[in-house]
Amino acid sequence: MNDTNTAKMIKSKNFKGLYVNFMIGSMIGLMLIGMTSNVGVELIKLSPKTVALLMIVFAVFNGIGRPIFGLITDKYSSKNAMLISYALIIIAALLMLVANEGSLVLFSIAFSIFWFNLGGWLAIAPTSTIDMYGTKHYSENYGVVFTAYGIGAIIGVLASGLLMDILANYNYIFYFIIGLCIIGILLSQRMIKT
């Protein structure tokens, strides 16, 4: 599907799959980045200073997620890159479900993976847009695809805030994330051809 214009792109099944998956990936990543400090201090009982230092490490993982997932998407396809991302996020969420007070190592590994994957989605989406629709209309096409990031941010923050207000337990957020990943895996495997 080379050099497809935006009007044709938005009618395609691939676009719908890419859009929803980018929204889910962004929702998960931005929700967890926003909660990093609270989870570290309130759930794991780390000092705010320790969490602040760890966030520097997490930011590095976020940065390296972009070229690594760009490479994965180029080499193995959009569908496989999404599958790898969701699998990693599920592993990280499971680590957090077994983490408890003082679980510095589990928290560090899990949140490195979460931040890494948000960076990854910022490579999967543009690379997939070019792969699926070509370069001629890329700026306009990716501009439309990128709106999924904003929608994901709004829904993610609202959902995590609502879950914490109602259930007052971080574990439910990690279960919610695993559920979103399963939905994403099913959608990516059914809706994306490349």
Side-chain angles (χ1 to χ4, degrees):
M1 240 191 249
N2 280 341
D3 297 330
T4 305
N5 67 29
T6 305
K8 286 183 183 175
M9 177 189 77
I10 60 174
K11 293 176 186 170
S12 71
K13 192 174 182 180
N14 263 355
F15 168 74
K16 293 171 183 78
L18 174 59
Y19 195 87
V20 173
N21 277 286
F22 188 29
M23 190 170 63
I24 291 170
S26 300
M27 184 187 327
I28 292 168
L30 293 167
M31 181 186 342
L32 288 164
I33 281 177
M35 292 172 41
T36 303
S37 181
N38 289 346
V39 171
V41 172
E42 294 170 17
L43 180 67
I44 309 300
K45 305 295 186 198
L46 300 173
S47 72
K49 184 178 180 181
T50 300
V51 175
L53 289 171
L54 284 171
M55 287 176 76
I56 296 167
V57 175
F58 301 154
V60 171
F61 275 92
N62 181 264
I64 63 173
R66 298 164 204 228
I68 290 173
F69 269 99
L71 179 69
I72 291 168
T73 307
D74 282 342
K75 193 165 184 174
Y76 299 108
S77 83
S78 301
K79 186 188 289 191
N80 288 328
M82 292 175 189
L83 186 62
I84 291 166
S85 176
Y86 287 133
L88 288 170
I89 293 167
I90 289 171
I91 290 166
L94 291 171
L95 289 176
M96 286 308 301
L97 286 170
V98 299
N100 49 40
E101 187 176 328
S103 298
L104 173 64
V105 173
L106 290 180
F107 172 74
S108 301
I109 293 169
F111 275 82
S112 292
I113 292 170
F114 290 141
W115 285 55
F116 175 75
N117 277 277
L118 177 61
W121 279 96
L122 293 170
I124 292 169
T127 306
S128 299
T129 304
I130 286 177
D131 288 348
M132 294 174 189
Y133 304 106
T135 57
K136 186 174 181 184
H137 303 281
Y138 172 71
S139 296
E140 187 178 347
N141 287 347
Y142 186 60
V144 171
V145 170
F146 194 72
T147 61
Y149 183 87
I151 294 169
I154 293 165
I155 295 171
V157 170
L158 291 174
S160 62
L162 194 62
L163 283 170
M164 282 306 293
D165 288 346
I166 295 170
L167 303 169
N169 187 325
Y170 286 107
N171 283 351
Y172 291 106
I173 291 173
F174 298 117
Y175 287 123
F176 177 61
I177 287 162
I178 291 168
L180 287 173
C181 288
I182 291 167
I183 291 166
I185 288 167
L186 295 172
L187 289 175
S188 65
Q189 299 310 296
R190 289 191 62 174
M191 297 181 76
I192 294 177
K193 292 177 185 174
T194 62

